[in-house]
Amino acid sequence: MSSVAPALRDTIASAKRRDVLFVALGVAALLFATCTFVALFIDMVGDGWQRLNGDFFSQFASRRAERAGILAAWVGSFAVMIVTALFAVPLGVAAGIYLEEYAPRNKLTALIEININNLAGVPSIIYGLLALGLFVYTFGLGQSVRTAGLTLALLILPVVIVATREAIRSIPQMIREAAYGLGATKWQTVKDHVVPYSLPGILTGIIIGLSRAIGETAPIITIGALTFIAFLPPAPVTVIPPYINFDWLKAPFTVMPIQIFNWTSRPD
């Protein structure tokens, strides 16, 4: 008995040393990645700080580098992301809630879940080709802001659905049972308990999806975004009744990734 206790202590001490070593390696890896990012960010800011002025954000693109700005690009990105968020976020969150809380567990649901997970990994250029054939040619929406927004909405929809389901799945079942025990209906349980508790995870998925969408170039180029543009879409609000203008949805556009791609291909 006395010989077993030292062996057990040695085993525990060895396991603790391995735990400490693993933690140290993890912290070192995290610090290395963080320092690399900070160094690159500081270098980028140091090189470009002098160009970040009011004219840079309020002027159109120009063939002369000292006069070039990103006005059309950031306005186009903002308009496209509004359309993307309006379509992808409500639909994706609603689909995730339905699949996790209401959908029956059968072969059809399993098939839908497999396809959603597979769509989350499809290359973005495929969505661009799909949008070109569906939105541009079949529905006749043209090469416009609404076409770009719908294309990116399709791109991030699986990401939002998967993130919503994972966030809802992390809520303990006892919360639902407690709500049912107090007489709450299924919808009241989901609306007042499940969704509020899972909201941080859902918002994380939405932010990740929108971040991916705002940086995409391939599907936007495929549907015909302009590389050089010197005008803005019509204003969404006017002084003439009914005071709301939807012509900006039909306007040509460019976005920040295309502007960056155009500039990197022309270093002069």
Side-chain angles (χ1 to χ4, degrees):
M1 188 69 178
S2 59
S3 61
V4 176
L8 182 60
R9 286 196 298 267
D10 293 340
T11 302
I12 295 175
S14 176
K16 289 183 177 180
R17 286 194 297 269
R18 288 196 297 268
D19 290 341
V20 172
L21 178 61
F22 181 79
V23 171
L25 291 175
V27 172
L30 178 62
L31 290 176
F32 177 78
T34 303
C35 292
T36 302
F37 172 77
V38 171
L40 292 174
F41 183 78
I42 292 175
D43 180 70
M44 178 186 67
V45 172
D47 291 340
W49 183 256
Q50 295 179 352
R51 280 290 282 133
L52 295 178
N53 49 43
D55 293 337
F56 182 71
F57 294 98
S58 61
Q59 291 182 352
F60 293 103
S62 174
R63 299 186 184 278
R64 297 185 178 182
E66 65 275 7
R67 298 181 181 178
I70 60 170
L71 176 61
W74 74 259
V75 171
S77 292
F78 183 73
V80 169
M81 293 309 299
I82 288 177
V83 178
T84 300
L86 288 178
F87 279 92
V89 174
L91 187 59
V93 173
I97 293 174
Y98 171 77
L99 289 173
E100 197 61 32
E101 294 292 331
Y102 291 94
R105 303 305 177 194
N106 52 35
K107 293 183 179 179
L108 178 60
T109 305
L111 181 63
I112 293 174
E113 293 176 356
I114 292 173
N115 281 278
I116 289 174
N117 292 327
N118 290 336
L119 287 173
V122 171
S124 59
I125 186 64
I126 303 300
Y127 287 97
L129 295 173
L130 171 65
L132 182 65
L134 185 65
F135 297 139
V136 177
Y137 293 133
T138 303
F139 293 157
L141 299 182
Q143 300 164 333
S144 58
V145 171
R146 59 185 175 183
T147 302
L150 291 173
T151 303
L152 295 180
L154 288 178
L155 175 67
I156 70 171
L157 188 60
V159 178
V160 177
I161 294 175
V162 172
T164 300
R165 294 192 61 194
E166 292 297 330
I168 292 175
R169 194 175 300 168
S170 65
I171 304 303
Q173 184 63 27
M174 65 182 66
I175 293 179
R176 299 175 178 85
E177 294 173 353
Y180 294 146
L182 293 174
T185 63
K186 180 74 171 180
W187 170 242
Q188 289 174 334
T189 302
V190 172
K191 175 175 66 72
D192 297 330
H193 301 281
V194 175
V195 172
Y197 288 136
S198 60
L199 193 58
I202 295 174
L203 291 177
T204 300
I206 293 172
I207 293 172
I208 292 174
L210 293 177
S211 300
R212 179 186 178 185
I214 201 172
E216 286 291 345
T217 305
I220 302 300
I221 292 179
T222 305
I223 62 174
L226 303 176
T227 57
F228 185 87
I229 186 172
F231 57 87
L232 296 178
V237 180
T238 64
V239 295
I240 303 174
Y243 306 110
I244 299 178
N245 182 21
F246 292 101
D247 290 339
W248 62 277
L249 294 172
K250 307 175 185 178
F253 70 99
T254 189
V255 291
M256 286 293 298
I258 294 181
Q259 184 77 73
I260 295 172
F261 173 78
N262 186 28
W263 281 351
T264 54
S265 63
R266 300 170 57 195
D268 54 332

